[in-house]
Amino acid sequence: MENFSELIKKRRSMRKFTGEELSQEEVVALLKAALMAPTSKRSNSWQFIAVDDKKLLGELSHCKEQASAFIADAALAIVVTADPLASDVWIEDASIASIMIQLQAEDLGLGSCWVQVRERYTAAGMPSDEFVRGVLDIPLQLQVLSIIAIGHKGMERKPFNEDNLQWEKIHINKFGGK
Ligand SMILES: Cc1cc2nc3c(=O)[nH]c(=O)nc-3n(C[C@H](O)[C@H](O)[C@H](O)COP(=O)(O)O)c2cc1C
């Protein structure tokens, strides 16, 4: 593993992928990261669908009106779902798992991008979660939070520029405290 500070600086959203497949070890590492994510009361309210079928990836790329087309070129899409009846904080559980997958991807030298599904719509105005549920036969009790598109990086992205850190958003002891 590389230095964590470098890892979080290097992780940038990747929306362009080469056609190279992932190794089985890489896929397992990504899924382990998802399953090791912390959850409230260890409820593990999530369920993950790992999609590598090109036809399904193509269908999922239409899950939103915009900013989801690149799913079609990903080697793998991990669809992050959770059961609201299993946890009242399923959104937090699923969000944390999503970023854990992204950080593991970066550690493997892979690119990834979060595609928001919850509260989003297709070009035809259908709720994105309903669309994804239909494509992948996801049971009704599960909500779809995100799709993490993963693949070998198809372009260079600059690491986060620390000069752009919004230190004014940090308050010491009391709001407004410096
Ligand atoms: C909750 C959330 C939803 C996002 N949804 C999308 C999305 O639907 N499509 C997309 O291309 N990027 C999406 N992103 C990626 C953001 O656009 C990206 O993280 C942000 O612009 C900062 O860029 P960076 O990740 O390269 O640092 C999402 C990120 C988060 C955290």
Coordinates of all heavy atoms in Angstrom, one line a residue, residues 42-118:
R42 N -23.1 -2.7 12.8 CA -22.7 -3.8 12.0 C -24.0 -4.4 11.3 O -24.1 -5.7 11.2 CB -21.9 -4.8 12.9 CG -20.9 -5.7 12.2 CD -20.5 -5.4 10.8 NE -19.2 -4.8 10.7 CZ -18.7 -4.2 9.5 NH1 -19.5 -4.2 8.5 NH2 -17.5 -3.7 9.5
S43 N -24.9 -3.6 10.9 CA -26.1 -4.1 10.3 C -25.8 -4.6 8.9 O -26.6 -5.4 8.4 CB -27.1 -2.9 10.2 OG -26.6 -1.9 9.4
N44 N -24.8 -4.2 8.3 CA -24.4 -4.6 6.9 C -25.7 -4.6 6.0 O -26.0 -5.6 5.4 CB -23.8 -6.0 6.9 CG -22.4 -6.0 7.6 OD1 -22.0 -5.0 8.2 ND2 -21.8 -7.2 7.6
S45 N -26.3 -3.4 6.0 CA -27.6 -3.3 5.3 C -27.4 -3.4 3.8 O -28.4 -3.4 3.1 CB -28.2 -2.0 5.7 OG -27.4 -0.9 5.4
W46 N -26.2 -3.3 3.3 CA -25.9 -3.3 1.9 C -26.0 -4.7 1.2 O -25.8 -5.7 1.8 CB -24.6 -2.6 1.5 CG -23.5 -2.5 2.5 CD1 -23.0 -1.3 3.0 CD2 -22.8 -3.6 3.1 NE1 -22.0 -1.6 3.9 CE2 -21.8 -3.0 4.0 CE3 -22.8 -5.0 3.0 CZ2 -20.9 -3.7 4.7 CZ3 -21.9 -5.7 3.8 CH2 -21.0 -5.1 4.6
Q47 N -26.1 -4.6 -0.1 CA -25.9 -5.7 -1.0 C -25.2 -5.1 -2.3 O -25.6 -4.0 -2.7 CB -27.2 -6.4 -1.5 CG -28.1 -6.8 -0.4 CD -28.1 -8.3 -0.1 OE1 -27.5 -9.1 -0.9 NE2 -28.9 -8.7 0.8
F48 N -24.2 -5.8 -2.8 CA -23.5 -5.3 -4.0 C -23.7 -6.2 -5.2 O -23.6 -7.4 -5.0 CB -22.0 -5.3 -3.6 CG -21.7 -4.5 -2.3 CD1 -21.5 -5.2 -1.1 CD2 -21.6 -3.1 -2.4 CE1 -21.3 -4.5 0.0 CE2 -21.3 -2.4 -1.2 CZ -21.2 -3.1 0.0
I49 N -23.9 -5.6 -6.3 CA -24.0 -6.4 -7.5 C -22.8 -6.0 -8.4 O -22.6 -4.8 -8.8 CB -25.3 -6.1 -8.3 CG1 -26.5 -6.5 -7.4 CG2 -25.4 -6.9 -9.6 CD1 -27.3 -5.3 -7.0
A50 N -21.9 -7.0 -8.6 CA -20.7 -6.8 -9.5 C -21.0 -7.1 -10.9 O -21.3 -8.3 -11.2 CB -19.6 -7.6 -8.9
V51 N -21.0 -6.1 -11.8 CA -21.4 -6.3 -13.1 C -20.2 -6.2 -14.1 O -19.5 -5.1 -14.1 CB -22.4 -5.2 -13.5 CG1 -22.9 -5.4 -15.0 CG2 -23.6 -5.2 -12.6
D52 N -19.9 -7.3 -14.8 CA -18.8 -7.2 -15.8 C -19.3 -7.5 -17.2 O -18.6 -7.5 -18.2 CB -17.6 -8.0 -15.4 CG -17.9 -9.5 -15.4 OD1 -19.1 -9.9 -15.6 OD2 -17.0 -10.3 -15.1
D53 N -20.6 -7.9 -17.3 CA -21.2 -8.2 -18.6 C -21.4 -6.9 -19.4 O -22.0 -6.0 -19.0 CB -22.6 -8.9 -18.3 CG -23.3 -9.3 -19.6 OD1 -23.9 -8.4 -20.2 OD2 -23.2 -10.5 -19.9
K54 N -20.8 -7.0 -20.6 CA -20.7 -5.7 -21.5 C -22.1 -5.2 -21.8 O -22.3 -4.0 -21.9 CB -19.9 -6.0 -22.8 CG -18.5 -6.4 -22.5 CD -17.7 -5.1 -22.1 CE -16.3 -5.5 -21.7 NZ -15.8 -4.9 -20.5
K55 N -23.0 -6.2 -22.1 CA -24.4 -5.8 -22.5 C -25.0 -5.1 -21.3 O -25.7 -4.0 -21.5 CB -25.2 -7.0 -22.9 CG -26.6 -6.7 -23.4 CD -27.2 -7.9 -24.1 CE -28.7 -7.7 -24.3 NZ -29.5 -7.8 -23.0
L56 N -24.9 -5.6 -20.1 CA -25.5 -5.0 -18.9 C -24.8 -3.7 -18.6 O -25.5 -2.7 -18.2 CB -25.4 -5.9 -17.7 CG -26.2 -7.2 -17.8 CD1 -26.0 -8.1 -16.6 CD2 -27.7 -6.8 -17.8
L57 N -23.5 -3.6 -18.8 CA -22.8 -2.3 -18.6 C -23.4 -1.2 -19.5 O -23.6 -0.1 -19.1 CB -21.3 -2.5 -18.8 CG -20.6 -3.3 -17.7 CD1 -19.1 -3.6 -18.1 CD2 -20.6 -2.5 -16.3
G58 N -23.6 -1.7 -20.8 CA -24.2 -0.7 -21.7 C -25.6 -0.2 -21.3 O -25.9 0.9 -21.4
E59 N -26.3 -1.2 -20.8 CA -27.7 -0.8 -20.3 C -27.6 0.2 -19.1 O -28.3 1.2 -19.1 CB -28.5 -2.0 -20.0 CG -28.9 -2.8 -21.2 CD -29.8 -4.0 -20.8 OE1 -30.7 -3.9 -20.0 OE2 -29.5 -5.1 -21.4
L60 N -26.7 -0.2 -18.2 CA -26.6 0.7 -17.0 C -26.1 2.1 -17.3 O -26.4 3.0 -16.6 CB -25.6 0.0 -16.0 CG -26.1 -1.2 -15.3 CD1 -25.0 -1.8 -14.4 CD2 -27.4 -1.0 -14.5
S61 N -25.4 2.2 -18.4 CA -24.9 3.5 -18.8 C -26.0 4.5 -19.1 O -25.8 5.7 -19.2 CB -23.9 3.4 -20.0 OG -24.6 3.2 -21.2
H62 N -27.2 4.0 -19.3 CA -28.4 4.9 -19.6 C -29.2 5.2 -18.3 O -30.3 5.6 -18.4 CB -29.3 4.3 -20.6 CG -28.6 4.0 -21.9 ND1 -28.2 5.1 -22.7 CD2 -28.2 2.9 -22.6 CE1 -27.6 4.6 -23.8 NE2 -27.6 3.3 -23.7
C63 N -28.6 4.9 -17.1 CA -29.4 5.0 -15.9 C -29.7 6.4 -15.5 O -30.5 6.7 -14.7 CB -28.7 4.3 -14.7 SG -27.2 5.1 -14.1
K64 N -29.0 7.4 -16.1 CA -29.2 8.8 -15.8 C -29.2 9.6 -17.1 O -28.7 9.2 -18.1 CB -28.1 9.3 -14.9 CG -28.0 8.7 -13.6 CD -27.3 9.4 -12.5 CE -26.3 10.5 -13.0 NZ -25.9 11.3 -11.8
E65 N -29.8 10.8 -17.0 CA -29.9 11.7 -18.1 C -28.5 12.1 -18.6 O -28.2 12.2 -19.7 CB -30.7 12.9 -17.7 CG -31.0 13.8 -18.9 CD -32.0 14.9 -18.5 OE1 -32.4 15.0 -17.3 OE2 -32.4 15.6 -19.5
Q66 N -27.6 12.3 -17.6 CA -26.2 12.6 -17.9 C -25.2 12.1 -16.9 O -25.7 11.6 -15.8 CB -26.0 14.2 -18.0 CG -26.6 14.9 -16.8 CD -26.6 16.4 -17.0 OE1 -26.5 16.9 -18.1 NE2 -26.7 17.1 -15.8
A67 N -23.9 12.1 -17.2 CA -22.9 11.7 -16.3 C -22.9 10.3 -15.9 O -22.6 9.9 -14.8 CB -22.9 12.6 -15.1
S68 N -23.4 9.4 -16.8 CA -23.3 8.0 -16.5 C -22.9 7.2 -17.8 O -22.7 6.0 -17.7 CB -24.7 7.5 -16.0 OG -25.7 7.7 -17.0
A69 N -22.7 7.8 -18.9 CA -22.4 7.2 -20.2 C -21.1 6.3 -20.1 O -21.1 5.2 -20.7 CB -22.3 8.2 -21.3
F70 N -20.2 6.7 -19.3 CA -18.9 6.1 -19.2 C -19.0 4.7 -18.6 O -18.0 3.9 -18.7 CB -17.8 6.9 -18.5 CG -18.3 7.4 -17.2 CD1 -18.2 6.6 -16.0 CD2 -18.9 8.7 -17.0 CE1 -18.6 7.1 -14.8 CE2 -19.4 9.1 -15.8 CZ -19.2 8.3 -14.7
I71 N -20.1 4.4 -18.0 CA -20.2 3.0 -17.4 C -20.1 2.0 -18.5 O -19.6 0.9 -18.2 CB -21.6 2.9 -16.7 CG1 -21.7 3.8 -15.5 CG2 -21.9 1.4 -16.2 CD1 -23.1 3.8 -14.8
A72 N -20.5 2.3 -19.7 CA -20.4 1.4 -20.8 C -19.0 0.9 -21.1 O -18.8 -0.2 -21.5 CB -21.0 2.0 -22.1
D73 N -18.0 1.7 -20.8 CA -16.6 1.4 -21.1 C -15.8 0.9 -19.8 O -14.6 0.6 -19.9 CB -15.9 2.7 -21.6 CG -16.6 3.2 -22.8 OD1 -17.0 2.4 -23.7 OD2 -16.7 4.4 -22.9
A74 N -16.5 0.8 -18.7 CA -15.9 0.3 -17.5 C -15.6 -1.2 -17.6 O -16.4 -1.9 -18.3 CB -16.7 0.7 -16.3
A75 N -14.6 -1.7 -16.9 CA -14.4 -3.1 -16.9 C -15.3 -3.7 -15.9 O -15.7 -4.9 -16.0 CB -12.9 -3.4 -16.5
L76 N -15.7 -3.0 -14.8 CA -16.5 -3.5 -13.8 C -17.4 -2.3 -13.2 O -16.9 -1.2 -13.1 CB -15.6 -4.0 -12.6 CG -16.3 -4.6 -11.4 CD1 -17.0 -6.0 -11.7 CD2 -15.4 -4.8 -10.2
A77 N -18.6 -2.6 -12.9 CA -19.4 -1.6 -12.2 C -19.9 -2.3 -10.9 O -20.5 -3.4 -11.0 CB -20.6 -1.2 -13.1
I78 N -19.7 -1.7 -9.8 CA -20.3 -2.3 -8.6 C -21.5 -1.4 -8.2 O -21.4 -0.2 -7.9 CB -19.2 -2.3 -7.4 CG1 -18.0 -3.2 -7.9 CG2 -19.8 -2.9 -6.2 CD1 -16.9 -3.3 -6.8
V79 N -22.6 -2.1 -8.2 CA -23.9 -1.4 -7.9 C -24.1 -1.5 -6.4 O -24.2 -2.7 -5.9 CB -25.0 -2.0 -8.7 CG1 -26.3 -1.3 -8.4 CG2 -24.7 -1.9 -10.2
V80 N -24.2 -0.4 -5.7 CA -24.3 -0.4 -4.3 C -25.7 -0.2 -3.9 O -26.3 0.9 -4.2 CB -23.4 0.7 -3.7 CG1 -23.4 0.7 -2.2 CG2 -21.9 0.5 -4.1
T81 N -26.3 -1.2 -3.2 CA -27.7 -1.1 -2.8 C -27.8 -1.3 -1.3 O -26.8 -1.9 -0.7 CB -28.6 -2.2 -3.5 OG1 -28.3 -3.4 -2.9 CG2 -28.2 -2.3 -5.0
A82 N -28.9 -1.0 -0.7 CA -29.1 -1.3 0.7 C -30.5 -1.4 1.1 O -31.4 -0.9 0.3 CB -28.4 -0.2 1.6
D83 N -30.8 -2.0 2.2 CA -32.2 -2.3 2.6 C -32.5 -1.3 3.8 O -32.0 -1.4 4.9 CB -32.2 -3.7 3.1 CG -33.6 -4.1 3.6 OD1 -34.5 -3.2 3.6 OD2 -33.8 -5.3 3.9
P84 N -33.4 -0.3 3.5 CA -33.8 0.6 4.5 C -34.4 0.0 5.8 O -34.4 0.5 6.9 CB -34.8 1.5 3.8 CG -34.6 1.4 2.4 CD -34.1 0.0 2.2
L85 N -35.0 -1.2 5.6 CA -35.5 -1.9 6.8 C -34.5 -2.5 7.6 O -34.7 -2.9 8.8 CB -36.5 -3.0 6.3 CG -37.8 -2.5 5.6 CD1 -38.7 -3.6 5.2 CD2 -38.6 -1.5 6.5
A86 N -33.3 -2.7 7.1 CA -32.2 -3.3 7.8 C -31.4 -2.3 8.6 O -30.8 -2.6 9.6 CB -31.2 -4.0 6.9
S87 N -31.5 -1.0 8.2 CA -30.8 0.1 8.9 C -31.5 1.4 8.5 O -31.7 1.7 7.3 CB -29.4 0.1 8.5 OG -28.8 1.3 9.1
D88 N -31.7 2.2 9.5 CA -32.3 3.6 9.3 C -31.2 4.5 8.7 O -31.5 5.6 8.2 CB -32.9 4.2 10.5 CG -32.0 4.2 11.7 OD1 -30.9 3.7 11.6 OD2 -32.3 4.9 12.7
V89 N -30.0 4.1 8.8 CA -28.9 4.9 8.2 C -28.2 4.2 7.0 O -27.0 4.2 6.8 CB -27.8 5.3 9.2 CG1 -28.5 6.3 10.2 CG2 -27.3 4.1 10.0
W90 N -29.1 3.5 6.2 CA -28.6 2.8 5.0 C -27.9 3.7 4.0 O -26.9 3.2 3.4 CB -29.8 2.1 4.3 CG -30.7 2.9 3.7 CD1 -31.9 3.5 4.3 CD2 -30.7 3.4 2.3 NE1 -32.5 4.3 3.4 CE2 -31.9 4.3 2.2 CE3 -29.9 3.2 1.2 CZ2 -32.1 4.9 1.0 CZ3 -30.2 3.8 0.0 CH2 -31.3 4.7 -0.1
I91 N -28.2 4.9 4.0 CA -27.6 5.8 3.0 C -26.1 6.0 3.4 O -25.2 6.0 2.6 CB -28.3 7.2 2.9 CG1 -29.7 7.0 2.4 CG2 -27.5 8.2 2.0 CD1 -30.5 8.3 2.3
E92 N -25.9 6.2 4.7 CA -24.5 6.3 5.2 C -23.7 5.1 5.0 O -22.6 5.1 4.5 CB -24.5 6.7 6.7 CG -25.0 8.1 7.0 CD -26.5 8.3 7.1 OE1 -27.3 7.4 6.7 OE2 -27.0 9.3 7.6
D93 N -24.4 3.9 5.3 CA -23.7 2.6 5.1 C -23.3 2.4 3.7 O -22.1 2.1 3.4 CB -24.6 1.4 5.5 CG -24.9 1.3 7.0 OD1 -24.2 2.0 7.8 OD2 -25.8 0.5 7.4
A94 N -24.2 2.7 2.8 CA -23.9 2.5 1.4 C -22.9 3.5 0.8 O -22.1 3.2 -0.1 CB -25.2 2.5 0.6
S95 N -23.0 4.7 1.4 CA -22.0 5.8 0.9 C -20.6 5.4 1.3 O -19.6 5.6 0.6 CB -22.4 7.1 1.5 OG -23.7 7.5 1.0
I96 N -20.5 5.0 2.6 CA -19.1 4.6 3.1 C -18.6 3.5 2.2 O -17.4 3.5 1.8 CB -19.2 4.3 4.6 CG1 -19.5 5.6 5.4 CG2 -17.9 3.7 5.0 CD1 -19.9 5.3 6.8
A97 N -19.4 2.5 2.0 CA -18.9 1.3 1.1 C -18.5 1.8 -0.2 O -17.5 1.3 -0.8 CB -20.0 0.3 1.0
S98 N -19.2 2.8 -0.8 CA -18.9 3.3 -2.1 C -17.5 3.9 -2.1 O -16.7 3.7 -3.0 CB -19.9 4.3 -2.6 OG -21.2 3.8 -2.6
I99 N -17.2 4.7 -1.1 CA -15.9 5.4 -1.1 C -14.8 4.4 -0.8 O -13.7 4.5 -1.3 CB -15.9 6.6 -0.2 CG1 -14.6 7.5 -0.4 CG2 -16.0 6.3 1.2 CD1 -14.5 8.1 -1.8
M100 N -15.1 3.4 0.0 CA -14.1 2.4 0.3 C -13.7 1.6 -1.0 O -12.5 1.4 -1.2 CB -14.7 1.3 1.3 CG -14.9 1.9 2.7 SD -13.4 2.0 3.7 CE -13.3 0.3 4.3
I101 N -14.7 1.4 -1.8 CA -14.4 0.7 -3.1 C -13.5 1.6 -4.0 O -12.5 1.2 -4.6 CB -15.7 0.4 -3.9 CG1 -16.5 -0.6 -3.1 CG2 -15.4 -0.1 -5.3 CD1 -18.0 -0.8 -3.6
Q102 N -13.8 2.9 -4.0 CA -13.0 3.9 -4.8 C -11.6 4.0 -4.3 O -10.7 4.1 -5.1 CB -13.7 5.3 -4.7 CG -15.0 5.3 -5.6 CD -15.3 6.8 -6.0 OE1 -16.0 7.5 -5.2 NE2 -14.8 7.2 -7.1
L103 N -11.4 4.0 -3.0 CA -10.1 4.1 -2.4 C -9.3 2.8 -2.7 O -8.1 2.9 -3.0 CB -10.1 4.4 -0.9 CG -10.7 5.8 -0.6 CD1 -10.8 6.0 0.9 CD2 -9.8 6.9 -1.1
Q104 N -9.9 1.7 -2.6 CA -9.3 0.4 -2.9 C -8.9 0.4 -4.4 O -7.8 0.0 -4.8 CB -10.1 -0.8 -2.6 CG -9.5 -2.1 -2.9 CD -8.2 -2.4 -2.2 OE1 -8.2 -2.8 -1.0 NE2 -7.1 -2.2 -2.9
A105 N -9.8 0.9 -5.3 CA -9.4 1.0 -6.7 C -8.2 1.8 -6.9 O -7.3 1.4 -7.6 CB -10.6 1.6 -7.5
E106 N -8.1 2.9 -6.3 CA -6.9 3.8 -6.4 C -5.7 3.1 -6.0 O -4.6 3.2 -6.6 CB -7.1 5.1 -5.7 CG -6.0 6.1 -5.9 CD -5.8 6.5 -7.3 OE1 -6.8 6.8 -8.0 OE2 -4.6 6.5 -7.8
D107 N -5.8 2.4 -4.9 CA -4.6 1.7 -4.3 C -4.2 0.6 -5.3 O -3.0 0.2 -5.3 CB -5.0 1.0 -3.0 CG -3.8 0.6 -2.2 OD1 -2.8 1.4 -2.1 OD2 -3.8 -0.5 -1.7
L108 N -5.1 0.1 -6.1 CA -4.7 -0.9 -7.1 C -4.2 -0.3 -8.4 O -3.9 -1.0 -9.4 CB -5.9 -1.8 -7.4 CG -6.4 -2.8 -6.3 CD1 -7.8 -3.3 -6.6 CD2 -5.4 -3.9 -6.1
G109 N -4.2 1.1 -8.4 CA -3.8 1.8 -9.6 C -4.9 1.9 -10.6 O -4.7 2.2 -11.8
L110 N -6.1 1.6 -10.2 CA -7.3 1.6 -11.1 C -8.0 2.9 -11.0 O -7.9 3.6 -9.9 CB -8.3 0.5 -10.8 CG -7.7 -0.9 -10.9 CD1 -8.6 -2.0 -10.3 CD2 -7.3 -1.3 -12.4
G111 N -8.8 3.3 -12.0 CA -9.6 4.5 -11.9 C -11.0 4.1 -11.6 O -11.5 3.0 -11.9
S112 N -11.7 5.1 -11.0 CA -13.1 4.8 -10.7 C -13.9 6.1 -10.6 O -13.3 7.2 -10.5 CB -13.3 4.1 -9.3 OG -13.0 5.0 -8.2
C113 N -15.2 6.0 -10.8 CA -16.1 7.2 -10.6 C -17.4 6.7 -10.0 O -18.0 5.7 -10.3 CB -16.3 7.8 -11.9 SG -17.2 9.5 -11.8
W114 N -17.9 7.5 -9.1 CA -19.2 7.3 -8.4 C -20.3 7.9 -9.3 O -20.2 9.0 -9.8 CB -19.1 8.1 -7.1 CG -20.4 8.2 -6.2 CD1 -21.7 8.3 -6.6 CD2 -20.4 8.1 -4.8 NE1 -22.5 8.3 -5.5 CE2 -21.7 8.2 -4.4 CE3 -19.4 7.9 -3.8 CZ2 -22.1 8.1 -3.0 CZ3 -19.7 7.9 -2.5 CH2 -21.1 8.0 -2.1
V115 N -21.2 7.0 -9.6 CA -22.4 7.5 -10.4 C -23.6 7.5 -9.4 O -24.0 6.4 -8.9 CB -22.7 6.6 -11.6 CG1 -24.0 7.0 -12.3 CG2 -21.5 6.6 -12.6
Q116 N -24.2 8.7 -9.2 CA -25.3 8.8 -8.3 C -26.5 8.2 -8.9 O -26.9 8.6 -10.0 CB -25.5 10.3 -7.9 CG -26.6 10.5 -6.9 CD -26.2 10.0 -5.5 OE1 -25.1 9.7 -5.2 NE2 -27.2 9.8 -4.7
V117 N -27.2 7.4 -8.2 CA -28.5 6.8 -8.7 C -29.6 7.3 -7.8 O -30.7 7.6 -8.4 CB -28.4 5.2 -8.6 CG1 -29.7 4.6 -9.0 CG2 -27.3 4.7 -9.6
R118 N -29.5 7.3 -6.5 CA -30.6 7.7 -5.6 C -30.9 9.2 -6.0 O -30.1 10.0 -6.1 CB -30.1 7.6 -4.2 CG -31.2 7.7 -3.1 CD -30.6 7.7 -1.7 NE -29.9 8.9 -1.4 CZ -30.5 10.0 -0.9 NH1 -31.8 10.0 -0.7 NH2 -29.8 11.0 -0.6

